[in-house]
Amino acid sequence: MKFQPVIGLEVHTQLKTGSKIFCGCSTTFGSEPNSQTCPVCLGLPGALPVLNKKVVEFAIKAGLATNCIIAHHSVFARKNYFYPDLPKGYQISQLEEPICRKGWLDIQLEGQEAKRIGITRIHMEEDAGKLVHGDVPGLDDGSGVDLNRACTPLLEVVSEPDLRSSDEAVAYLKRLHRIVTWLGICDGNMEEGSFRCDANISVMPVGSDTLGTRAEIKNVNSFKFVKQAIDYEIQRQIALIEDGGSVVQETRLFDPNSGTTRSMRSKEEAHDYRYFPDPDLVPLVIDADWVQHAHKELPELPEHRRQRFITELGLPEYDAEVLTASRGVADYFEECVAFHHNAKAVSNWLMSEVTRALNDSGAAIDACPVIPSQLAELIKMIDKGAISGKIAKTVFEEMWKNGGEPQAIVEKRGLAQVSDSGAIEAIIDEVIAANMAQVEEFRGGKEKVLGFFVGLVMKASRGKANPALVNELLLAKLKVQ
C-alpha cells in the first residue's frame, strides 16, 4: 500500500517590537535572566495587561501580505495550562476570533507548477518563559526558569493541511520567513527562536480522503531540521501502520543529533485548554481606516519585486530570486541600477564579490562599506574599458578595506587599463619571442595555447592591458607565419 503524507504547519513568529505585548518590559534577547520582568509578565495578582498597539499593526501587515481577511472584531482568550515557565497558569492567545483568517501563499518547487497553500488563521499571543536545563549557577542538578521571554509578542500562522512533502513544507516556511523579515516585523533569527514551527504530520492511503491520525512535532527551529523531522516522522508512521500498529495522537520532539523524533506527551485538544475570553482585555475593534493605513505602509512585496526585476530589468529568474532573498539586498541592487543601468553586471557583482565580502566579514548588507553609488561607478568603469574586471576586484578590495572612490583609487595606484596598441604590441612581441615552442603549437592547430599567451601578456602588464585588445593583437601576430 502506498501512503500520502498530509502536513500542516503552525509557525510562531516573534515580533520585533521594543516592548512586550501586554507590558512595557524590553524584548532584548540575551539579557541577564529575569532582568526584563514586571508584575504583568510575572503574572502577579492584581496586575492588568495593556495591549501593545504596535503588535496589532504588525499583525495587520502580516495578514495583508499573506492575503488574509482582517477581522473587524477580534477577541483575546485565556489558554489554560500549567508549566513552570508560565507563572499565570494561562497564556493569553486568540481562538475563535483571531485577527486574520482565510489567507494563502503560493509556493513552487523546481520543475513543478505553483501550488497554493491555505492559511487558516493568524493570531496574536504572548510567549511563555524559558526553562534552562543544566549549567545554572547555584543548582548542582536542576533547571532554572528565565521569564525574560514571558509576554514577548508572537504571531502564530496556522496553515491548512495542504502540504504533501517535506520539500513543500520547507518552501512554504522560506516564503513566510522572507515575508515577515521583508516587512520588518520579525528578525527571522531561527537560532534564537524568533521563527520556529510545529509540524502536524499524518499519512493516509493514496486515493483516500480520510485523514490519518496526526502527530505534532514541537518547536523546530531550522529549515534543515524541519525537513529531517518531517521525513523521519512520515517513515515512522508508515512503518508503524504496515506492522499492524496505529499512530497515536501525540506531541513529539525532534532530536537533531539522531535525526529521530521521540514522544513528549499525549496531544491536547482545544477543550483541554479550557479557552475562554480574557476578562481583562476588551474585544479589539479594527476599522477600515486602520487597515487602509497599514496597506499604504506595506512595501513592495518580494514576489512582486522578483517579477519586476525579470520583466523590467531583464534579469534571469535565478538572479531575481537571489536578489529578493532579503529586502536590504534588493534595495541595494536597485540603488546601484539607478546610478548605472547595466542591471545584469550589477547583479553579477552583488552575487559574487559583494556577497563574498559580506560573508567573510559577517556584515549585513546595511553595513556594506561600499555604497551603491561607488559600486555602480566601479562597474561603469569596467563597461567603459577604463579598467579590467581583474583590476576592478583589486579596486573593490581597497574600497572595502579603506574606503574611497573607485576613480581616485585607480589614479592613485596607477591601475588604469592600457589600451595603447603600441604598448601592448611591445609586450606581445617579447612574450612571443620567449615562447617560440608554444607559437609553433598554436600554428600547428593547438588553439588552446592562446590562453597561455594571454595570461603571460596580462601578467607582464600587471593586469592593466585591455583583454579584448590583447586577444585581437595576439591572434594577428600568432597567425603570421
Side-chain angles (χ1 to χ4, degrees):
M1 183 182 297
K2 292 185 178 181
F3 291 88
Q4 172 70 67
V6 178
I7 304 161
L9 299 179
E10 300 169 9
V11 180
H12 292 86
T13 300
Q14 185 172 306
L15 298 180
K16 201 165 66 173
T17 55
S19 57
K20 297 183 179 181
I21 185 170
F22 298 120
C23 67
C25 291
S26 171
T27 57
T28 303
F29 179 84
S31 299
E32 193 69 23
N34 298 304
S35 63
Q36 297 174 176
T37 58
C38 70
V40 173
C41 50
L42 291 175
L44 298 182
L48 295 174
V50 177
L51 179 59
N52 184 338
K53 183 179 180 181
K54 182 64 72 175
V55 173
V56 181
E57 292 173 354
F58 283 1
I60 294 172
K61 288 181 179 180
L64 292 173
T66 53
N67 308 290
C68 288
I69 298 170
I70 310 300
H72 171 66
H73 183 276
S74 129
V75 174
F76 284 98
R78 290 186 179 182
K79 179 182 180 181
N80 295 273
Y81 64 96
F82 298 92
Y83 211 61
D85 59 6
L86 194 69
K88 295 194 294 284
Y90 63 85
Q91 176 189 30
I92 300 177
S93 183
Q94 293 186 306
L95 179 65
E96 293 178 348
E97 295 187 71
I99 189 168
C100 311
R101 56 189 175 85
K102 293 184 179 179
W104 50 267
L105 285 179
D106 287 338
I107 62 170
Q108 187 166 15
L109 300 183
E110 188 174 353
Q112 298 183 22
E113 293 184 359
K115 179 177 180 179
R116 182 154 295 180
I117 307 301
I119 293 175
T120 309
R121 54 191 279 129
I122 299 177
H123 64 261
M124 300 174 288
E125 64 182 19
E126 61 179 347
D127 209 344
K130 181 180 180 181
L131 287 177
V132 182
H133 307 290
D135 196 28
V136 179
L139 292 177
D140 295 331
D141 184 21
S143 298
V145 182
D146 181 5
L147 295 174
N148 281 347
R149 196 176 68 181
C151 215
T152 294
L154 298 176
L155 291 183
E156 182 170 344
V157 184
V158 182
S159 82
E160 292 287 330
D162 292 339
L163 301 158
R164 294 295 178 265
S165 70
S166 61
D167 288 333
E168 288 187 358
V170 170
Y172 168 82
L173 281 175
K174 286 184 175 180
R175 182 81 193 280
L176 183 59
H177 183 273
R178 182 180 298 191
I179 287 173
V180 296
T181 54
W182 189 280
L183 293 175
I185 66 175
C186 174
D187 65 23
N189 192 319
M190 299 181 79
E191 290 184 0
E192 295 178 1
S194 299
F195 188 89
R196 59 191 190 268
C197 87
D198 303 337
N200 292 288
I201 304 159
S202 65
V203 297
M204 63 182 181
V206 172
S208 173
D209 56 3
T210 302
L211 298 177
T213 302
R214 76 182 189 277
E216 180 185 42
I217 305 174
K218 292 288 288 186
N219 289 331
V220 191
N221 65 347
S222 86
F223 300 128
K224 176 183 176 182
F225 293 160
V226 166
K227 179 172 173 57
Q228 290 177 349
I230 291 174
D231 285 339
Y232 175 83
E233 185 60 23
I234 290 170
Q235 294 307 314
R236 184 191 74 85
Q237 293 186 20
I238 291 174
L240 190 61
I241 295 170
E242 289 180 337
D243 287 344
S246 58
V247 177
V248 177
Q249 185 165 323
E250 61 182 346
T251 298
R252 300 177 69 85
L253 293 176
F254 175 68
D255 181 354
N257 294 318
S258 64
T260 61
T261 64
R262 58 180 173 82
S263 181
M264 178 183 178
R265 61 174 181 261
S266 60
K267 173 65 179 170
E268 298 91 343
E269 298 289 355
H271 63 263
D272 294 321
Y273 291 115
R274 295 179 294 113
Y275 280 97
F276 64 89
D278 192 304
D280 293 334
L281 290 161
V282 298
L284 175 64
V285 177
I286 299 173
D287 60 25
D289 289 342
W290 196 353
V291 176
Q292 187 176 11
H293 178 73
H295 196 280
K296 288 180 179 179
E297 287 189 336
L298 283 181
E300 182 183 21
L301 294 175
E303 180 57 25
H304 185 274
R305 206 166 190 183
R306 186 184 74 86
Q307 289 294 337
R308 184 166 59 78
F309 284 178
I310 294 170
T311 56
E312 293 184 10
L313 299 179
L315 290 183
E317 288 189 12
Y318 175 80
D319 291 41
E321 183 70 21
V322 172
L323 294 174
T324 54
S326 79
R327 186 175 169 187
V329 171
D331 288 346
Y332 186 101
F333 167 74
E334 288 217 81
E335 285 188 57
C336 285
V337 173
F339 288 105
H340 182 48
H341 303 318
N342 189 341
K344 179 55 180 169
V346 172
S347 173
N348 290 343
W349 269 81
L350 257 179
M351 294 192 299
S352 55
E353 300 306 313
V354 176
T355 298
R356 187 181 301 114
L358 289 171
N359 290 339
D360 290 345
S361 64
I365 190 71
D366 303 359
C368 181
V370 180
I371 62 176
S373 61
Q374 292 173 331
L375 182 64
E377 184 60 32
L378 181 65
I379 298 171
K380 189 182 294 184
M381 291 175 72
I382 302 171
D383 290 348
K384 288 180 177 178
I387 56 174
S388 66
K390 183 176 181 180
I391 291 296
K393 292 179 181 180
T394 301
V395 176
F396 177 80
E397 290 176 8
E398 177 67 20
M399 293 164 65
W400 186 276
K401 292 176 182 177
N402 302 313
E405 297 298 322
Q407 183 66 46
I409 293 171
V410 169
E411 292 175 359
K412 181 180 179 181
R413 296 183 56 178
L415 297 173
Q417 183 163 272
V418 176
S419 296
D420 181 342
S421 59
I424 295 175
E425 280 189 18
I427 297 174
I428 290 174
D429 289 342
E430 290 179 10
V431 169
I432 288 177
N435 297 276
M436 290 307 297
Q438 285 77 16
V439 172
E440 294 305 319
E441 287 182 14
F442 178 83
R443 291 172 177 169
K446 196 172 181 180
E447 295 186 357
K448 289 184 179 180
V449 178
L450 178 64
F452 166 78
F453 284 106
V454 170
L456 290 179
V457 174
M458 295 304 295
K459 182 178 180 181
S461 69
R462 291 182 298 169
K464 294 192 289 183
N466 185 316
L469 190 54
V470 168
N471 275 272
E472 179 186 335
L473 295 175
L474 261 173
L475 278 172
K477 286 185 175 287
L478 287 172
K479 287 180 178 179
V480 175
Q481 297 290 340

